[in-house]
C-alpha cells in the first residue's frame, strides 16, 4: 500500500523571486527524506530549474523568473508530493577508499580509548556500516551522513585544529564525515581518502549527492583507488 505523508504537515511557498520551497514539518525520518529525494530526481530530469537543492526536510527549486512561474512550480511540487512513492527513489552506492590511522588518522587512538575498543575494531565498525547522505552543506561538497554506529560516538576535540587536510575522515559526536577542502576543524580524524570530494572541473562538482549510500573501504582491503558507483 502506498505510504503518503499527511498533506497538512507540508508547506509550499516562494522564497524571493526565484526560489520555490517544499518544507515538511514532520519529524525528520528516512521515509520523508526519500520522498524529497525522489521528487528532486523527477524535477531534475524535467530540466526546468537552474538548480534543485534537497535539504533536511526541505527541497528548494532555483528557477529563472523570466522562464518559469513560481506558482506553477509550487503546484508541481504539491502534485509530486501527493503522487511520488518513496520506492521511486533510486540511490547510488559510493565506495570511499580510506587510509585509516597513522599519519592519516592521528585521532584513531583517542577514539579507540574513548570507546573502549581496539583501533582495528574502530576501523571495522566504521567501515562495515552503511551511511546515507542526508544533505550537503557547511562547505561545498560536505555531506551530512547518517548511520554512524552508536558505539563509535566520540566528542569533538577540545582544541580544534587550525588545518585539517582535504579528504580527512572524522567523527564528531554522533556523526561521521569527510572534509572536502583543507580547513580548520574539531572532529576526531581517523583516516583520509585520496578522492576529491569537490571539484569544479567535474560535471557534478560534488562527488556525493543527497540520498547516496556511502561505504568506507579500508585501502588495504580495496583493489580500487577511486570511488565506485553502484
Amino acid at each position: 500500500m502506498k505510504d503518503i505523508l499527511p498533506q497538512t504537515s507540508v508547506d509550499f511557498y516562494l522564497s524571493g523571486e526565484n526560489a520555490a520551497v517544499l518544507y515538511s514539518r514532520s519529524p525528520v525520518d528516512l521515509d520523508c527524506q526519500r520522498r524529497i529525494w525522489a521528487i528532486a530526481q523527477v524535477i531534475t530530469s524535467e530540466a526546468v530549474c537552474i538548480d534543485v537543492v534537497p535539504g533536511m526536510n526541505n527541497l528548494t527549486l532555483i528557477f529563472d523568473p523570466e522562464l518559469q512561474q513560481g506558482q506553477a512550480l509550487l503546484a508541481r511540487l504539491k502534485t509530486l508530493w501527493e503522487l511520488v512513492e518513496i520506492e521511486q527513489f533510486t540511490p547510488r552506492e559510493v565506495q570511499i577508499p580510506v587510509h585509516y590511522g597513522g599519519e592519516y588518522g592521528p585521532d584513531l587512538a583517542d577514539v579507540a580509548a574513548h570507546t573502549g575498543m581496539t583501533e582495528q575494531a574502530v576501523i571495522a565498525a566504521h567501515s562495515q556500516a552503511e551511511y546515507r547522505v542526508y544533505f550537503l552543506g557547511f562547505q561545498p561538497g560536505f555531506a551530512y551522513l547518517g548511520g554512524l554506529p552508536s558505539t563509535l560516538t566520540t566528542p569533538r576535540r577540545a582544541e580544534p585544529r587550525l588545518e585539517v587536510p582535504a579528504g580527512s575522515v572524522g567523527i564528531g559526536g554522533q556523526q561521521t564525515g569527510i572534509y572536502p577542502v583543507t580547513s580548520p576543524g574539531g572532529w576526531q580524524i581517523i583516516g583520509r581518502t585520496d578522492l576529491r570530494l569537490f571539484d569544479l572541473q567535474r560535471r557534478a562538482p560534488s562527488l556525493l549527492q543527497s540520498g547516496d549510500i556511502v561505504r568506507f573501504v579500508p585501502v588495504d582491503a580495496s583493489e580500487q583507488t577511486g570511488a565506485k558507483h553502484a
Side-chain angles (χ1 to χ4, degrees):
M1 187 170 113
K2 182 176 176 180
D3 175 27
I4 299 180
L5 298 178
Q7 176 76 23
T8 55
S9 67
V10 185
D11 294 326
F12 303 89
Y13 59 89
L14 295 178
S15 177
E17 298 181 350
N18 67 337
V21 179
L22 177 161
Y23 174 72
S24 172
R25 289 181 274 111
S26 300
V28 174
D29 62 39
L30 184 56
D31 282 349
C32 178
Q33 287 300 123
R34 289 175 66 191
R35 189 179 300 276
I36 287 172
W37 298 330
I39 294 172
Q41 280 189 337
V42 172
I43 296 291
T44 299
S45 70
E46 294 175 346
V48 295
C49 296
I50 297 172
D51 200 4
V52 179
V53 187
M56 187 70 80
N57 262 24
N58 63 81
L59 175 64
T60 301
L61 309 182
I62 308 300
F63 62 93
D64 184 342
E66 294 186 0
L67 301 177
Q68 296 290 331
Q69 293 185 349
Q71 292 299 329
L73 287 175
L74 290 181
R76 181 64 174 145
L77 285 174
K78 291 177 183 178
T79 298
L80 289 173
W81 183 261
E82 295 174 351
L83 297 181
V84 164
E85 299 184 43
I86 60 177
E87 291 78 9
Q88 289 179 240
F89 174 70
T90 305
R92 302 184 310 162
E93 182 172 314
V94 183
Q95 295 185 1
I96 307 291
V98 179
H99 303 272
Y100 283 99
E103 62 179 303
Y104 302 106
D107 299 322
L108 179 60
D110 290 339
V111 172
H114 177 81
T115 59
M117 304 165 70
T118 65
E119 293 184 18
Q120 286 303 315
V122 170
I123 293 171
H126 188 264
S127 61
Q128 289 171 9
E130 178 180 285
Y131 302 91
R132 181 80 72 154
V133 179
Y134 273 80
F135 65 102
L136 303 176
F138 171 56
Q139 295 175 339
F142 184 89
Y144 284 84
L145 302 176
L148 181 72
S150 59
T151 53
L152 295 181
T153 298
T154 306
R156 301 184 185 199
R157 289 173 52 86
E159 295 185 10
R161 291 184 172 88
L162 296 179
E163 185 174 287
V164 177
S168 292
V169 177
I171 292 175
Q174 298 178 342
Q175 291 184 301
T176 189
I178 312 167
Y179 285 76
V181 297
T182 299
S183 66
W187 285 27
Q188 306 281 356
I189 305 304
I190 62 173
R192 192 187 309 168
T193 181
D194 295 325
L195 299 182
R196 297 187 67 175
L197 274 293
F198 188 79
D199 185 351
L200 287 173
Q201 302 304 313
R202 289 195 296 247
R203 180 173 175 273
S206 179
L207 175 67
L208 300 177
Q209 302 294 329
S210 295
D212 285 351
I213 294 171
V214 175
R215 297 181 185 277
F216 295 105
V217 181
V219 166
D220 290 344
S222 171
E223 298 179 356
Q224 301 293 329
T225 57
K228 293 176 62 179
H229 301 88

